[in-house]
Amino acid sequence: MPELSTNATHTTPVEEPLISPWKEGWKNFKKNKAAVFGLGLVFFFILIAIFANVLAPYDYTETGDKHLPPSATHWFGTDDLGRDILSRVIFGARISLAVGFLSVIGSAIVGSFLGIIAGYYGRIVDGIISRIFDILLAFPSILLAIAIVAMLGPSLFNALIAIAIINIPTFGRLVRSRVLTVKEEEYIIAAKAIGMGDGRILLHHVFPNSMAPIIVQGSLAIASAIIEAAALGFLGLGAQPPTPEWGKMLADSKDFILQAPWTVIFPGLAIMLTVLGFNLMGDGLRDALDPRMKN
């Protein structure tokens, strides 16, 4: 009896390598041209802030001829005290970015901590913290910032504190909603089942899985913080003379907008481009890191 031969070939499935969510997010981010442009603007102003001492052609307090128009000597012209506007805009980048980053870092830390506690423990703790957030959100943000600075006294540091406080509820509510979802996941239930303490669960599981929305909101909040700092500076409640803060520069130049428009144009452009960069980058991060935005 002839032997039966089978030529059937068996194909073994090839497992695709796992890609880190952060690597996948960066890959998606690079596809967004507007987001990459925004990231470039942000890095541009960060470099200007870091190397302000090297890039500024003059000391930002040095005075000379008043209201000189833009020229080869003074690229952005001079203000009403004869100070070089380019130098003040360059040093102003350091002030505005510092206020933006530090205030958002502070509000993100406090808001995330309160949001994690409220979302994870719920009940009475959640009710108390959520009511605090509701009270802070009941006030218009800029009016609340003005009230805080008015109580503490006008200064750049107090403006930073005020901006941090008014942004705490935004981070808190965002993280709370994320934690409410994460704590119902199977790996959290399994961690509780094996006796893992709440501290370890929050630190090793809940917080890392809540990072993506914090990063997205942080990038957008920096843009808002820069505008709020400029608004407080414009009202005389932020940076005090001779600090070259962009909002304060606009306030000092508002009476000369027709006589010397360059004194308003260049600080205004600096604010606009910086905020535009953070907004474009934040939108790109949201599209890249938010699973709901993926096809």
Side-chain angles (χ1 to χ4, degrees):
M1 187 173 180
E3 296 181 358
L4 296 177
S5 61
T6 59
N7 296 325
T9 58
H10 299 281
T11 59
T12 58
V14 179
E15 295 184 358
E16 295 183 358
L18 295 176
I19 301 177
S20 167
W22 298 106
K23 290 184 178 179
E24 184 180 0
W26 171 243
K27 181 180 179 181
N28 294 329
F29 181 86
K30 290 190 295 183
K31 296 178 182 178
N32 189 330
K33 303 300 183 184
V36 173
F37 175 72
L39 180 63
L41 279 177
V42 170
F43 269 113
F44 173 73
F45 280 99
I46 289 176
L47 290 175
I48 286 179
I50 293 174
F51 298 104
N53 292 328
V54 178
L55 296 174
Y58 301 94
D59 188 306
Y60 65 84
T61 61
E62 182 180 343
T63 59
D65 295 331
K66 302 177 181 180
H67 288 158
L68 291 178
S71 64
T73 306
H74 299 280
W75 288 7
F76 288 1
T78 60
D79 62 9
D80 58 307
L81 296 178
R83 297 171 298 190
D84 182 66
I85 295 178
L86 174 59
S87 300
R88 293 182 62 79
V89 168
I90 289 174
F91 278 98
R94 180 177 291 180
I95 302 297
S96 296
L97 289 178
V99 171
F101 277 106
L102 293 177
S103 62
V104 169
I105 289 173
S107 58
I109 292 174
V110 177
S112 298
F113 174 77
L114 294 176
I116 289 175
I117 298 300
Y120 187 78
Y121 289 104
R123 298 184 180 181
I124 298 177
V125 175
D126 185 18
I128 295 174
I129 294 176
S130 295
R131 296 298 78 77
I132 294 174
F133 290 161
D134 291 339
I135 292 172
L136 291 175
L137 290 171
F139 296 93
S141 58
I142 189 62
L143 292 182
L144 181 58
I146 291 173
I148 294 172
V149 176
M151 289 188 295
L152 297 177
S155 71
L156 184 63
F157 181 73
N158 291 339
L160 189 153
I161 293 176
I163 295 169
I165 291 174
I166 65 177
N167 283 309
I168 286 175
T170 303
F171 284 95
R173 296 184 71 176
L174 178 68
V175 173
R176 173 186 173 274
S177 63
R178 176 64 178 167
V179 172
L180 289 174
T181 303
V182 171
K183 75 175 185 178
E184 301 298 331
E185 297 289 342
E186 293 181 357
Y187 59 87
I188 299 295
I189 299 174
K192 292 180 180 179
I194 64 175
M196 185 177 292
D198 289 343
R200 291 186 62 189
I201 292 175
L202 292 174
L203 184 62
H204 295 287
H205 296 292
V206 175
F207 180 70
N209 286 284
S210 305
M211 281 295 294
I214 295 175
I215 293 174
V216 174
Q217 180 59 35
S219 62
L220 296 172
I222 291 175
S224 299
I226 291 174
I227 294 178
E228 289 156 357
L232 292 174
F234 187 85
L235 296 173
L237 299 174
Q240 300 300 304
T243 306
E245 195 272 326
W246 291 336
K248 182 61 178 171
M249 291 175 66
L250 290 176
D252 294 339
S253 304
K254 67 180 185 299
D255 295 331
F256 311 103
I257 189 170
L258 297 179
Q259 178 184 351
W262 56 86
T263 59
V264 177
I265 291 174
F266 293 112
L269 280 175
I271 296 173
M272 184 198 74
L273 292 175
T274 306
V275 171
L276 176 65
F278 278 106
N279 281 335
L280 291 176
M281 185 180 71
D283 289 340
L285 288 172
R286 180 196 59 200
D287 296 343
L289 298 177
D290 190 348
R292 294 172 297 179
M293 304 299 294
K294 299 176 182 178
N295 294 326

